[in-house]
Amino acid sequence: MLKHLHCLLVGLVLAVVAWPAGADEPADVPGPDASGAQPAHPPPMLPKWLNPSGLPFIPIPEIATDPNGGTTVGILPVWLKTDDEHAIRRIIAPDLFYNQYFGWGFHGRLYEYTSEDEQSSLVAGLQERVQRQFEAAYQRGRLRQHRWSFVTGLTYDKDGTPRFFGIGNGSREIAQTNYTAQQEALQGQIGLNFSPIWQLLYTVRYRSVDVLPGTLANIASIQSRFANVRGLGTNHEQLNRVALIYDTRDNLTAPRSGTAWVIYGGAASRGGAFNGSLYTEAGIDGRNFLPLSARTILATHISLRYLPSANRLPFWALSSVGGGESDIGGDQPLRGYGAGRFYDRNAFSGTAELRHTYWSFDAMDTHVDLEIAPFVDLGRVFAHGDEWPITQLHKVAGVGFRGIARPSVVGYVDIGYGSEGAAVFTGLNYPF
């Protein structure tokens, strides 16, 4: 629910590194030298109204980049509220920015970390051209310490950045097209907790997706090259999914040890109770965190998704790899390519990264860890269920830089390199 706050904590970390120590306290005044003359006072480094230590918020320069969305620059004033234990409990972060594709825009953001067990978020924004966004989410029972857990989310999004290259693991870069995706979605999840480790989770999601012509200059619109692909225009989906979860991680946001396995299956219809079935799905997702030392963790992730049946399925509902984040039952990371780079019925993804904390410090009433993480991503899509999933893999190598304010906030910048060149991703939360 927090992926939209690009570069927040990474920018926050850069800000506190540059923040003058004790900026809110007067510096010691040197005494006279041996001749009895008083030394001249040095001029202030900044006029008072430009001195960040006197502001009620943290002014963060916003620099976000994405293989599909291009480069965004702006200013992000951040208000933080921490508790007595110096954990972040609230983030208020509006911004004003300029994007190379869509012009000037702004967002309003509110993130509430009531506790590790309860969190909520509200994000709204628009730009001069195309882009519109509203998202609200609420989670309760994250720690599975009570019988039931609940997650709800409401989304409206109009996005002009998506790309489509065709279907198949060998889709060519030269076939790139652009489209505008307008989506309205409502999702609810109810978890039955047998213990803090075991959970049975039911997910219901309704979404309406309009695939409209692309608007990016010098990139062909999807209708011009893939006029017959299923999913153009307006399509509806109602998903019902059941998952069995085994989770021993020591923290859900920034784990240092433990493992999490999810086995799931579901079915989606065109609306109503399995009215005109779109597809059935089955998959597995595993994450493991092995501490090698007090400051180094080997983190690994594997995902495998199958669609045993599909009936005139929109391309956007297929399995896919590409982008910077993992969504169980959805997109999987391949950080040398943009989101949705490869589509087909089935998908495999595997990742390993070595997360090393190289600096820790206290700043702005919270504790911050800075982390470097070299990584390798592997992934592919395939059409037939009898194909061996770990052949013909796309390979990506790269390095990630993360800022962590435990227990609830992680900001990252990941740089990956694949067969089509380099890609940079920024966001909130770990990629998996």
Side-chain angles (χ1 to χ4, degrees):
M1 73 174 183
L2 303 175
K3 64 183 181 180
H4 302 284
L5 193 46
H6 287 181
C7 280
L8 171 59
L9 191 64
V10 175
L12 185 153
V13 168
L14 294 176
V16 300
V17 170
W19 203 279
D24 292 325
E25 299 176 4
D28 291 336
V29 178
D33 59 22
S35 66
Q38 283 282 359
H41 292 283
M45 294 295 293
L46 290 170
K48 183 175 181 180
W49 61 277
L50 285 178
N51 186 350
S53 65
L55 296 176
F57 54 83
I58 307 164
I60 297 176
E62 183 179 21
I63 304 174
T65 186
D66 180 273
N68 291 352
T71 299
T72 301
V73 295
I75 184 68
L76 182 73
V78 178
W79 286 262
L80 295 180
K81 179 182 178 181
T82 59
D83 61 17
D84 293 339
E85 298 179 354
H86 306 295
I88 294 174
R89 292 306 180 197
R90 178 182 298 154
I91 300 175
I92 300 174
D95 67 352
L96 177 67
F97 60 89
Y98 180 84
N99 176 267
Q100 68 181 97
Y101 296 138
F102 306 108
W104 289 98
F106 71 90
H107 288 103
R109 303 180 180 91
L110 173 64
Y111 297 90
E112 290 279 354
Y113 305 92
T114 308
S115 66
E116 287 189 66
D117 196 59
E118 183 178 4
Q119 298 182 4
S120 61
S121 67
L122 182 64
V123 179
L126 60 85
Q127 292 178 239
E128 287 184 274
R129 297 183 293 277
V130 183
Q131 306 291 84
R132 303 289 186 270
Q133 178 190 356
F134 176 84
E135 180 174 315
Y138 174 76
Q139 304 179 57
R140 185 174 182 180
R142 296 178 74 244
L143 300 182
R144 299 184 290 274
Q145 294 176 336
H146 304 286
R147 179 60 63 189
W148 300 98
S149 298
F150 303 93
V151 181
T152 59
L154 175 66
T155 299
Y156 168 79
D157 186 63
K158 187 174 183 182
D159 185 3
T161 67
R163 313 299 169 87
F164 184 69
F165 300 79
I167 294 174
N169 199 51
S171 60
R172 298 179 303 160
E173 184 181 13
I174 196 174
Q176 176 179 210
T177 61
N178 167 237
Y179 64 94
T180 300
Q182 181 171 300
Q183 176 180 213
E184 300 89 31
L186 177 63
Q187 177 170 297
Q189 293 181 305
I190 301 176
L192 174 60
N193 303 316
F194 305 109
S195 73
I197 295 176
W198 288 97
Q199 182 188 66
L200 186 67
L201 181 67
Y202 169 67
T203 299
V204 58
R205 180 181 69 210
Y206 173 81
R207 62 175 170 170
S208 173
V209 178
D210 293 323
V211 175
L212 307 171
T215 63
L216 299 184
N218 303 319
I219 301 179
S221 182
I222 187 173
Q223 286 83 355
S224 68
R225 289 183 178 167
F226 299 101
N228 296 321
V229 71
R230 291 171 181 154
L232 303 183
T234 303
N235 287 268
H236 305 278
E237 176 198 73
Q238 180 176 311
L239 172 69
N240 293 270
R241 176 189 293 155
V242 177
L244 180 64
I245 299 173
Y246 171 79
D247 191 348
T248 65
R249 291 174 296 173
D250 61 342
N251 182 276
L252 298 182
T253 302
R256 289 189 173 101
S257 65
T259 188
W261 286 94
V262 180
I263 301 174
Y264 64 89
S269 63
R270 298 184 185 278
F274 303 102
N275 175 23
S277 178
L278 287 174
Y279 62 86
T280 57
E281 65 169 3
I284 186 169
D285 187 282
R287 302 153 193 240
N288 187 68
F289 305 91
L290 177 65
L292 302 181
S293 70
R295 302 177 71 85
T296 305
I297 300 164
L298 176 63
T300 56
H301 172 241
I302 187 171
S303 172
L304 185 61
R305 184 184 189 231
Y306 287 95
L307 302 183
S309 66
N311 178 26
R312 299 188 60 82
L313 187 62
F315 74 88
W316 45 261
L318 292 167
S319 303
S320 68
V321 295
E325 297 182 355
S326 171
D327 179 20
I328 294 176
D331 297 338
Q332 296 303 323
L334 195 60
R335 285 170 281 182
Y337 304 86
R341 173 60 183 87
F342 300 99
Y343 282 101
D344 215 322
R345 283 180 63 159
N346 315 306
F348 167 82
S349 173
T351 293
E353 57 181 50
L354 196 64
R355 301 175 179 174
H356 176 71
T357 300
Y358 64 89
W359 191 20
S360 300
F361 56 91
D362 293 317
M364 291 178 295
D365 293 327
T366 193
H367 183 78
V368 176
D369 292 330
L370 298 187
E371 190 176 79
I372 186 170
F375 64 81
V376 175
D377 290 346
L378 306 170
R380 68 164 298 196
V381 295
F382 51 103
H384 305 291
D386 58 356
E387 293 184 57
W388 188 239
I390 57 174
T391 60
Q392 300 177 344
L393 294 171
H394 299 284
K395 306 172 184 66
V396 171
V399 62
F401 302 92
R402 285 77 184 266
I404 305 144
R406 288 181 168 86
S408 300
V409 184
V410 176
Y412 70 85
V413 176
D414 286 350
I415 305 168
Y417 187 86
S419 63
E420 295 177 359
V424 181
F425 298 91
T426 60
L428 206 63
N429 285 340
Y430 276 114
F432 63 88

